[in-house]
Amino acid sequence: MSDESRSAPRPRVGRTTAGRRRLRHALTVAAIEKFSEQGYDATTVDEIASAAGVGRRTFFRYFRSKEDAIFPNHEEVLGRIEQLFATADERQNPLEVACAGVGLVLDSYLADPDVSVKRFALTRTVPSLRDKEVASVDRYQRVLATFLRARFQAAGDPLWDLRGSVAAAAVAAAHNHVLRRWLRSGGAEDAHAHAKEAFALVIDAFADTAAPRGDRDDESVVAVLKTSAPLSEVVRQISQALRSAD
């Protein structure tokens, strides 16, 4: 070995942004594989780290707990959504912007279908992972609601608070419907085509909400639906209820 070879610095895993992303992904894959093979409760952080070829301390530089390891991109995607909303053109339909925001979540799942499908199977059987997933969905919906309420208020809608919350719930429902359909298919269906159809339904249902409105007393809007109702029926009834309130 030459003197030059011996003196050259050795690259360290996780030193670059790309390296950190690869290591985070390796830990996620290791966690999912271990949980699937031997069960969530029986798997330790040390076993996950070892399977990824790193030590326990390295694991905790990336994740706070073993359940966090199977949701590696949540904070990153949430930050991208907030950035999208912060820089969106105020003249653009806010529902279109909101749908583009949750589209980033969908894309993060589609980017790694094998991991996404296996994670979905785990969240169906491990309550703590299911709770983690529900909390993540709730955070996305709260960001959506904050954005839409602000846009509707700026448009002079006296029902901006209610309408923003309901619209955010509809956008989230459309996304979740498409994502779960894709996951149940094992990643085989065309999620982007289904998302385009689902988001069009929501955008159409709230098509008039960005326009200024006259003064009205605040009203409560209630829509009663069966939990088995298809997405199109959910959107139709929400739209009808809100238009009746006008």
Side-chain angles (χ1 to χ4, degrees), residues 200-227:
L201 279 172
V202 177
I203 292 169
D204 180 66
F206 295 89
D208 62 342
T209 57
R213 297 169 180 272
D215 291 336
R216 293 170 298 184
D217 293 331
D218 286 348
E219 301 173 67
S220 296
V221 176
V222 177
V224 180
L225 306 103
K226 294 181 179 179
T227 56

PDB file of all heavy atoms in Angstrom, residues 200-227:
ATOM      1  N   ALA A 200     -59.416  15.464  -7.281  1.00  0.00           N
ATOM      2  CA  ALA A 200     -60.342  16.229  -8.122  1.00  0.00           C
ATOM      3  C   ALA A 200     -61.718  16.306  -7.476  1.00  0.00           C
ATOM      4  O   ALA A 200     -62.396  17.344  -7.543  1.00  0.00           O
ATOM      5  CB  ALA A 200     -60.431  15.596  -9.510  1.00  0.00           C
ATOM      6  N   LEU A 201     -62.140  15.215  -6.845  1.00  0.00           N
ATOM      7  CA  LEU A 201     -63.426  15.209  -6.138  1.00  0.00           C
ATOM      8  C   LEU A 201     -63.445  16.253  -5.024  1.00  0.00           C
ATOM      9  O   LEU A 201     -64.408  16.998  -4.856  1.00  0.00           O
ATOM     10  CB  LEU A 201     -63.687  13.827  -5.535  1.00  0.00           C
ATOM     11  CG  LEU A 201     -64.251  12.734  -6.439  1.00  0.00           C
ATOM     12  CD1 LEU A 201     -64.247  11.397  -5.698  1.00  0.00           C
ATOM     13  CD2 LEU A 201     -65.657  13.084  -6.899  1.00  0.00           C
ATOM     14  N   VAL A 202     -62.374  16.295  -4.252  1.00  0.00           N
ATOM     15  CA  VAL A 202     -62.301  17.234  -3.127  1.00  0.00           C
ATOM     16  C   VAL A 202     -62.231  18.668  -3.628  1.00  0.00           C
ATOM     17  O   VAL A 202     -62.928  19.558  -3.111  1.00  0.00           O
ATOM     18  CB  VAL A 202     -61.084  16.914  -2.235  1.00  0.00           C
ATOM     19  CG1 VAL A 202     -60.978  17.938  -1.107  1.00  0.00           C
ATOM     20  CG2 VAL A 202     -61.189  15.512  -1.657  1.00  0.00           C
ATOM     21  N   ILE A 203     -61.403  18.917  -4.621  1.00  0.00           N
ATOM     22  CA  ILE A 203     -61.266  20.273  -5.156  1.00  0.00           C
ATOM     23  C   ILE A 203     -62.603  20.759  -5.706  1.00  0.00           C
ATOM     24  O   ILE A 203     -63.004  21.909  -5.493  1.00  0.00           O
ATOM     25  CB  ILE A 203     -60.170  20.309  -6.244  1.00  0.00           C
ATOM     26  CG1 ILE A 203     -58.798  20.079  -5.602  1.00  0.00           C
ATOM     27  CG2 ILE A 203     -60.195  21.649  -6.989  1.00  0.00           C
ATOM     28  CD1 ILE A 203     -57.684  19.823  -6.596  1.00  0.00           C
ATOM     29  N   ASP A 204     -63.320  19.887  -6.399  1.00  0.00           N
ATOM     30  CA  ASP A 204     -64.628  20.253  -6.941  1.00  0.00           C
ATOM     31  C   ASP A 204     -65.640  20.525  -5.826  1.00  0.00           C
ATOM     32  O   ASP A 204     -66.455  21.445  -5.921  1.00  0.00           O
ATOM     33  CB  ASP A 204     -65.144  19.133  -7.852  1.00  0.00           C
ATOM     34  CG  ASP A 204     -66.512  19.462  -8.436  1.00  0.00           C
ATOM     35  OD1 ASP A 204     -66.595  20.414  -9.224  1.00  0.00           O
ATOM     36  OD2 ASP A 204     -67.495  18.774  -8.089  1.00  0.00           O
ATOM     37  N   ALA A 205     -65.575  19.742  -4.755  1.00  0.00           N
ATOM     38  CA  ALA A 205     -66.534  19.904  -3.660  1.00  0.00           C
ATOM     39  C   ALA A 205     -66.385  21.251  -2.963  1.00  0.00           C
ATOM     40  O   ALA A 205     -67.363  21.815  -2.466  1.00  0.00           O
ATOM     41  CB  ALA A 205     -66.352  18.775  -2.643  1.00  0.00           C
ATOM     42  N   PHE A 206     -65.169  21.771  -2.926  1.00  0.00           N
ATOM     43  CA  PHE A 206     -64.920  23.044  -2.244  1.00  0.00           C
ATOM     44  C   PHE A 206     -64.541  24.139  -3.241  1.00  0.00           C
ATOM     45  O   PHE A 206     -63.818  25.073  -2.906  1.00  0.00           O
ATOM     46  CB  PHE A 206     -63.803  22.870  -1.211  1.00  0.00           C
ATOM     47  CG  PHE A 206     -64.162  21.953  -0.086  1.00  0.00           C
ATOM     48  CD1 PHE A 206     -63.918  20.590  -0.172  1.00  0.00           C
ATOM     49  CD2 PHE A 206     -64.764  22.440   1.073  1.00  0.00           C
ATOM     50  CE1 PHE A 206     -64.255  19.736   0.865  1.00  0.00           C
ATOM     51  CE2 PHE A 206     -65.102  21.592   2.114  1.00  0.00           C
ATOM     52  CZ  PHE A 206     -64.852  20.237   2.014  1.00  0.00           C
ATOM     53  N   ALA A 207     -65.037  24.016  -4.460  1.00  0.00           N
ATOM     54  CA  ALA A 207     -64.607  24.904  -5.547  1.00  0.00           C
ATOM     55  C   ALA A 207     -64.860  26.377  -5.268  1.00  0.00           C
ATOM     56  O   ALA A 207     -64.125  27.239  -5.733  1.00  0.00           O
ATOM     57  CB  ALA A 207     -65.299  24.496  -6.841  1.00  0.00           C
ATOM     58  N   ASP A 208     -65.906  26.681  -4.503  1.00  0.00           N
ATOM     59  CA  ASP A 208     -66.260  28.084  -4.297  1.00  0.00           C
ATOM     60  C   ASP A 208     -65.762  28.649  -2.975  1.00  0.00           C
ATOM     61  O   ASP A 208     -66.080  29.772  -2.611  1.00  0.00           O
ATOM     62  CB  ASP A 208     -67.778  28.245  -4.358  1.00  0.00           C
ATOM     63  CG  ASP A 208     -68.488  27.461  -3.254  1.00  0.00           C
ATOM     64  OD1 ASP A 208     -67.855  26.546  -2.685  1.00  0.00           O
ATOM     65  OD2 ASP A 208     -69.652  27.774  -2.969  1.00  0.00           O
ATOM     66  N   THR A 209     -64.950  27.911  -2.242  1.00  0.00           N
ATOM     67  CA  THR A 209     -64.604  28.338  -0.885  1.00  0.00           C
ATOM     68  C   THR A 209     -63.516  29.392  -0.833  1.00  0.00           C
ATOM     69  O   THR A 209     -63.317  30.008   0.209  1.00  0.00           O
ATOM     70  CB  THR A 209     -64.150  27.128  -0.044  1.00  0.00           C
ATOM     71  OG1 THR A 209     -63.047  26.495  -0.707  1.00  0.00           O
ATOM     72  CG2 THR A 209     -65.273  26.141   0.153  1.00  0.00           C
ATOM     73  N   ALA A 210     -62.780  29.607  -1.910  1.00  0.00           N
ATOM     74  CA  ALA A 210     -61.716  30.615  -1.885  1.00  0.00           C
ATOM     75  C   ALA A 210     -62.232  31.995  -2.248  1.00  0.00           C
ATOM     76  O   ALA A 210     -61.530  32.984  -2.107  1.00  0.00           O
ATOM     77  CB  ALA A 210     -60.593  30.217  -2.837  1.00  0.00           C
ATOM     78  N   ALA A 211     -63.482  32.063  -2.731  1.00  0.00           N
ATOM     79  CA  ALA A 211     -64.042  33.354  -3.133  1.00  0.00           C
ATOM     80  C   ALA A 211     -64.569  34.107  -1.915  1.00  0.00           C
ATOM     81  O   ALA A 211     -65.078  33.504  -0.974  1.00  0.00           O
ATOM     82  CB  ALA A 211     -65.175  33.133  -4.130  1.00  0.00           C
ATOM     83  N   PRO A 212     -64.490  35.448  -1.872  1.00  0.00           N
ATOM     84  CA  PRO A 212     -65.024  36.221  -0.753  1.00  0.00           C
ATOM     85  C   PRO A 212     -66.526  35.987  -0.621  1.00  0.00           C
ATOM     86  O   PRO A 212     -67.239  35.817  -1.599  1.00  0.00           O
ATOM     87  CB  PRO A 212     -64.719  37.680  -1.164  1.00  0.00           C
ATOM     88  CG  PRO A 212     -63.593  37.578  -2.145  1.00  0.00           C
ATOM     89  CD  PRO A 212     -63.825  36.289  -2.876  1.00  0.00           C
ATOM     90  N   ARG A 213     -67.000  36.045   0.606  1.00  0.00           N
ATOM     91  CA  ARG A 213     -68.410  35.786   0.884  1.00  0.00           C
ATOM     92  C   ARG A 213     -68.982  36.941   1.695  1.00  0.00           C
ATOM     93  O   ARG A 213     -68.260  37.633   2.417  1.00  0.00           O
ATOM     94  CB  ARG A 213     -68.581  34.474   1.671  1.00  0.00           C
ATOM     95  CG  ARG A 213     -68.102  33.271   0.889  1.00  0.00           C
ATOM     96  CD  ARG A 213     -68.028  32.037   1.764  1.00  0.00           C
ATOM     97  NE  ARG A 213     -67.571  30.914   0.969  1.00  0.00           N
ATOM     98  CZ  ARG A 213     -68.355  30.110   0.263  1.00  0.00           C
ATOM     99  NH1 ARG A 213     -69.647  30.298   0.263  1.00  0.00           N
ATOM    100  NH2 ARG A 213     -67.866  29.120  -0.445  1.00  0.00           N
ATOM    101  N   GLY A 214     -70.316  37.090   1.612  1.00  0.00           N
ATOM    102  CA  GLY A 214     -70.965  38.117   2.394  1.00  0.00           C
ATOM    103  C   GLY A 214     -71.008  37.749   3.855  1.00  0.00           C
ATOM    104  O   GLY A 214     -70.715  36.636   4.235  1.00  0.00           O
ATOM    105  N   ASP A 215     -71.378  38.729   4.694  1.00  0.00           N
ATOM    106  CA  ASP A 215     -71.453  38.475   6.127  1.00  0.00           C
ATOM    107  C   ASP A 215     -72.589  37.514   6.422  1.00  0.00           C
ATOM    108  O   ASP A 215     -73.693  37.644   5.930  1.00  0.00           O
ATOM    109  CB  ASP A 215     -71.692  39.793   6.880  1.00  0.00           C
ATOM    110  CG  ASP A 215     -70.471  40.697   6.808  1.00  0.00           C
ATOM    111  OD1 ASP A 215     -69.355  40.167   6.603  1.00  0.00           O
ATOM    112  OD2 ASP A 215     -70.650  41.917   6.950  1.00  0.00           O
ATOM    113  N   ARG A 216     -72.315  36.518   7.267  1.00  0.00           N
ATOM    114  CA  ARG A 216     -73.326  35.566   7.707  1.00  0.00           C
ATOM    115  C   ARG A 216     -73.030  35.191   9.134  1.00  0.00           C
ATOM    116  O   ARG A 216     -71.888  35.278   9.593  1.00  0.00           O
ATOM    117  CB  ARG A 216     -73.300  34.287   6.853  1.00  0.00           C
ATOM    118  CG  ARG A 216     -73.705  34.466   5.428  1.00  0.00           C
ATOM    119  CD  ARG A 216     -73.416  33.217   4.637  1.00  0.00           C
ATOM    120  NE  ARG A 216     -71.972  32.942   4.637  1.00  0.00           N
ATOM    121  CZ  ARG A 216     -71.430  31.950   3.956  1.00  0.00           C
ATOM    122  NH1 ARG A 216     -72.175  31.129   3.257  1.00  0.00           N
ATOM    123  NH2 ARG A 216     -70.122  31.756   3.994  1.00  0.00           N
ATOM    124  N   ASP A 217     -74.037  34.770   9.837  1.00  0.00           N
ATOM    125  CA  ASP A 217     -73.813  34.251  11.177  1.00  0.00           C
ATOM    126  C   ASP A 217     -73.108  32.921  11.063  1.00  0.00           C
ATOM    127  O   ASP A 217     -73.344  32.163  10.130  1.00  0.00           O
ATOM    128  CB  ASP A 217     -75.156  34.060  11.914  1.00  0.00           C
ATOM    129  CG  ASP A 217     -75.826  35.384  12.184  1.00  0.00           C
ATOM    130  OD1 ASP A 217     -75.111  36.402  12.326  1.00  0.00           O
ATOM    131  OD2 ASP A 217     -77.071  35.390  12.230  1.00  0.00           O
ATOM    132  N   ASP A 218     -72.212  32.611  12.025  1.00  0.00           N
ATOM    133  CA  ASP A 218     -71.560  31.304  12.039  1.00  0.00           C
ATOM    134  C   ASP A 218     -72.606  30.222  12.222  1.00  0.00           C
ATOM    135  O   ASP A 218     -73.558  30.365  12.980  1.00  0.00           O
ATOM    136  CB  ASP A 218     -70.540  31.218  13.191  1.00  0.00           C
ATOM    137  CG  ASP A 218     -69.296  32.024  12.875  1.00  0.00           C
ATOM    138  OD1 ASP A 218     -69.150  32.426  11.709  1.00  0.00           O
ATOM    139  OD2 ASP A 218     -68.497  32.244  13.809  1.00  0.00           O
ATOM    140  N   GLU A 219     -72.435  29.137  11.489  1.00  0.00           N
ATOM    141  CA  GLU A 219     -73.384  28.040  11.553  1.00  0.00           C
ATOM    142  C   GLU A 219     -72.626  26.740  11.768  1.00  0.00           C
ATOM    143  O   GLU A 219     -71.456  26.628  11.435  1.00  0.00           O
ATOM    144  CB  GLU A 219     -74.174  27.943  10.249  1.00  0.00           C
ATOM    145  CG  GLU A 219     -74.944  29.213   9.910  1.00  0.00           C
ATOM    146  CD  GLU A 219     -75.567  29.110   8.529  1.00  0.00           C
ATOM    147  OE1 GLU A 219     -76.481  28.273   8.372  1.00  0.00           O
ATOM    148  OE2 GLU A 219     -75.142  29.833   7.633  1.00  0.00           O
ATOM    149  N   SER A 220     -73.335  25.761  12.317  1.00  0.00           N
ATOM    150  CA  SER A 220     -72.768  24.430  12.454  1.00  0.00           C
ATOM    151  C   SER A 220     -73.237  23.565  11.297  1.00  0.00           C
ATOM    152  O   SER A 220     -74.385  23.655  10.877  1.00  0.00           O
ATOM    153  CB  SER A 220     -73.210  23.783  13.778  1.00  0.00           C
ATOM    154  OG  SER A 220     -72.698  24.512  14.872  1.00  0.00           O
ATOM    155  N   VAL A 221     -72.321  22.779  10.771  1.00  0.00           N
ATOM    156  CA  VAL A 221     -72.657  21.888   9.666  1.00  0.00           C
ATOM    157  C   VAL A 221     -72.409  20.456  10.109  1.00  0.00           C
ATOM    158  O   VAL A 221     -71.332  20.142  10.608  1.00  0.00           O
ATOM    159  CB  VAL A 221     -71.802  22.203   8.415  1.00  0.00           C
ATOM    160  CG1 VAL A 221     -72.094  21.206   7.311  1.00  0.00           C
ATOM    161  CG2 VAL A 221     -72.075  23.625   7.937  1.00  0.00           C
ATOM    162  N   VAL A 222     -73.410  19.608   9.941  1.00  0.00           N
ATOM    163  CA  VAL A 222     -73.290  18.228  10.366  1.00  0.00           C
ATOM    164  C   VAL A 222     -73.628  17.317   9.193  1.00  0.00           C
ATOM    165  O   VAL A 222     -74.645  17.499   8.529  1.00  0.00           O
ATOM    166  CB  VAL A 222     -74.241  17.908  11.544  1.00  0.00           C
ATOM    167  CG1 VAL A 222     -74.135  16.432  11.922  1.00  0.00           C
ATOM    168  CG2 VAL A 222     -73.925  18.791  12.735  1.00  0.00           C
ATOM    169  N   ALA A 223     -72.760  16.358   8.933  1.00  0.00           N
ATOM    170  CA  ALA A 223     -73.027  15.344   7.912  1.00  0.00           C
ATOM    171  C   ALA A 223     -72.903  13.986   8.571  1.00  0.00           C
ATOM    172  O   ALA A 223     -71.888  13.694   9.197  1.00  0.00           O
ATOM    173  CB  ALA A 223     -72.037  15.469   6.757  1.00  0.00           C
ATOM    174  N   VAL A 224     -73.923  13.171   8.470  1.00  0.00           N
ATOM    175  CA  VAL A 224     -73.922  11.849   9.089  1.00  0.00           C
ATOM    176  C   VAL A 224     -73.737  10.810   7.998  1.00  0.00           C
ATOM    177  O   VAL A 224     -74.522  10.738   7.050  1.00  0.00           O
ATOM    178  CB  VAL A 224     -75.240  11.594   9.852  1.00  0.00           C
ATOM    179  CG1 VAL A 224     -75.214  10.206  10.483  1.00  0.00           C
ATOM    180  CG2 VAL A 224     -75.460  12.668  10.896  1.00  0.00           C
ATOM    181  N   LEU A 225     -72.655  10.020   8.127  1.00  0.00           N
ATOM    182  CA  LEU A 225     -72.349   9.017   7.108  1.00  0.00           C
ATOM    183  C   LEU A 225     -71.977   7.709   7.767  1.00  0.00           C
ATOM    184  O   LEU A 225     -71.485   7.677   8.888  1.00  0.00           O
ATOM    185  CB  LEU A 225     -71.174   9.481   6.229  1.00  0.00           C
ATOM    186  CG  LEU A 225     -71.306  10.846   5.569  1.00  0.00           C
ATOM    187  CD1 LEU A 225     -70.464  11.859   6.313  1.00  0.00           C
ATOM    188  CD2 LEU A 225     -70.840  10.750   4.125  1.00  0.00           C
ATOM    189  N   LYS A 226     -72.197   6.625   7.043  1.00  0.00           N
ATOM    190  CA  LYS A 226     -71.729   5.324   7.493  1.00  0.00           C
ATOM    191  C   LYS A 226     -70.221   5.243   7.297  1.00  0.00           C
ATOM    192  O   LYS A 226     -69.668   5.825   6.365  1.00  0.00           O
ATOM    193  CB  LYS A 226     -72.399   4.206   6.698  1.00  0.00           C
ATOM    194  CG  LYS A 226     -73.902   4.093   6.925  1.00  0.00           C
ATOM    195  CD  LYS A 226     -74.477   2.933   6.119  1.00  0.00           C
ATOM    196  CE  LYS A 226     -75.985   2.796   6.365  1.00  0.00           C
ATOM    197  NZ  LYS A 226     -76.557   1.675   5.572  1.00  0.00           N
ATOM    198  N   THR A 227     -69.537   4.517   8.187  1.00  0.00           N
ATOM    199  CA  THR A 227     -68.084   4.389   8.060  1.00  0.00           C
ATOM    200  C   THR A 227     -67.696   3.651   6.789  1.00  0.00           C
ATOM    201  O   THR A 227     -66.579   3.777   6.309  1.00  0.00           O
ATOM    202  CB  THR A 227     -67.495   3.642   9.270  1.00  0.00           C
ATOM    203  OG1 THR A 227     -68.153   2.353   9.375  1.00  0.00           O
ATOM    204  CG2 THR A 227     -67.714   4.411  10.548  1.00  0.00           C
TER     205      THR A 227
END
